[in-house]
Amino acid sequence: MSIKIKKEIHIEAMRIAGRITGEALNLLQRELKPGMTTKDLDKIAEEFIRAQGAVPSFKGLYGYPASICASVNDEIIHGIPGKRVLREGDIISIDTGAYIKGFHGDAARTFAVGRISAEAQRLIDVTKESFFRGIEYAKNGNHLSEISGAIQDYVEANGFSVVRDYVGHGIGREMHEDPNVPNYRFGKRGPKLIKGMTLAIEPMVNQGSYKVKQLSDGWTVVTRDGSLSAHYENTVLITDGEPELLTLGRDSLI
């Protein structure tokens, strides 16, 4: 395992990439409405990211064809934008990234399409809150497993399940760097957290079972039991004190 510790000049570039990523998601949240297609959202995101002087991190990454992942209802991650029309009551997880000055930002949110059920909203809220429960431990000198365990504990206490097949990751010059960041206990302490580490921490939470399957498009991952899924992610900088969230964006609603 080779964990890259970022210098201040690197962190400044990641703040820019992170801000663009967060603001792209904030823009999508404002624009989102029933009747749009997932391709419409992809176009909005790509145009915004490029207008900021960045390029979409996802486009072409491992051959991925779009600038966002748009995962609707029982889709967990990697949903490819297309002609699917969003309908009142849907939920959509949008994951995106921006690359600028040699570094990436990466973040995800799950949004309501119009009015949604109370249980769907609770899933979104618990997923988001599990992230914040986790990063209470994202401090210099702690261990990665403390973040993972806190996320799992909160999710399961609320009756939901944490996806096991996909995890968070380090991030920097590459979109995916060491270490892996599970959202569940993994039997060891994991690496020690050190000032200058940058992690994409991203709980993926299912309403039913944590078991998943990949669709025939080779990308889209869905819940095996057809239950709803939500996703929340930020790029996180480990500091001397509280963690810094690089991907909230200046006009964040948080």
PDB file of all heavy atoms in Angstrom, residues 120 124 176 188 252:
ATOM      1  N   ALA A 120     -38.147   6.808   1.816  1.00  0.00           N
ATOM      2  CA  ALA A 120     -37.060   7.156   0.896  1.00  0.00           C
ATOM      3  C   ALA A 120     -36.264   8.343   1.425  1.00  0.00           C
ATOM      4  O   ALA A 120     -35.025   8.358   1.361  1.00  0.00           O
ATOM      5  CB  ALA A 120     -37.615   7.463  -0.491  1.00  0.00           C
ATOM      6  N   ILE A 124     -32.173   8.599   2.539  1.00  0.00           N
ATOM      7  CA  ILE A 124     -31.247   9.656   2.129  1.00  0.00           C
ATOM      8  C   ILE A 124     -30.617  10.312   3.345  1.00  0.00           C
ATOM      9  O   ILE A 124     -29.393  10.527   3.403  1.00  0.00           O
ATOM     10  CB  ILE A 124     -31.980  10.697   1.256  1.00  0.00           C
ATOM     11  CG1 ILE A 124     -32.398  10.079  -0.079  1.00  0.00           C
ATOM     12  CG2 ILE A 124     -31.096  11.924   1.023  1.00  0.00           C
ATOM     13  CD1 ILE A 124     -33.292  10.982  -0.927  1.00  0.00           C
ATOM     14  N   HIS A 176      -8.469   7.151  -8.060  1.00  0.00           N
ATOM     15  CA  HIS A 176      -8.466   6.077  -7.054  1.00  0.00           C
ATOM     16  C   HIS A 176      -7.039   5.797  -6.614  1.00  0.00           C
ATOM     17  O   HIS A 176      -6.220   5.329  -7.407  1.00  0.00           O
ATOM     18  CB  HIS A 176      -9.114   4.815  -7.625  1.00  0.00           C
ATOM     19  CG  HIS A 176     -10.557   4.991  -7.960  1.00  0.00           C
ATOM     20  ND1 HIS A 176     -11.030   5.029  -9.250  1.00  0.00           N
ATOM     21  CD2 HIS A 176     -11.630   5.169  -7.162  1.00  0.00           C
ATOM     22  CE1 HIS A 176     -12.339   5.229  -9.242  1.00  0.00           C
ATOM     23  NE2 HIS A 176     -12.726   5.316  -7.989  1.00  0.00           N
ATOM     24  N   LYS A 188      -9.480  -5.308  10.995  1.00  0.00           N
ATOM     25  CA  LYS A 188      -8.191  -4.770  11.437  1.00  0.00           C
ATOM     26  C   LYS A 188      -8.300  -3.268  11.554  1.00  0.00           C
ATOM     27  O   LYS A 188      -9.295  -2.663  11.138  1.00  0.00           O
ATOM     28  CB  LYS A 188      -7.077  -5.173  10.477  1.00  0.00           C
ATOM     29  CG  LYS A 188      -7.379  -4.955   9.007  1.00  0.00           C
ATOM     30  CD  LYS A 188      -6.371  -5.673   8.137  1.00  0.00           C
ATOM     31  CE  LYS A 188      -6.797  -5.602   6.670  1.00  0.00           C
ATOM     32  NZ  LYS A 188      -5.946  -6.393   5.794  1.00  0.00           N
ATOM     33  N   SER A 252     -22.984  25.804  -1.029  1.00  0.00           N
ATOM     34  CA  SER A 252     -23.571  24.564  -0.519  1.00  0.00           C
ATOM     35  C   SER A 252     -24.799  24.835   0.334  1.00  0.00           C
ATOM     36  O   SER A 252     -24.899  25.841   1.037  1.00  0.00           O
ATOM     37  CB  SER A 252     -22.532  23.805   0.310  1.00  0.00           C
ATOM     38  OG  SER A 252     -23.106  22.662   0.872  1.00  0.00           O
TER      39      SER A 252
END
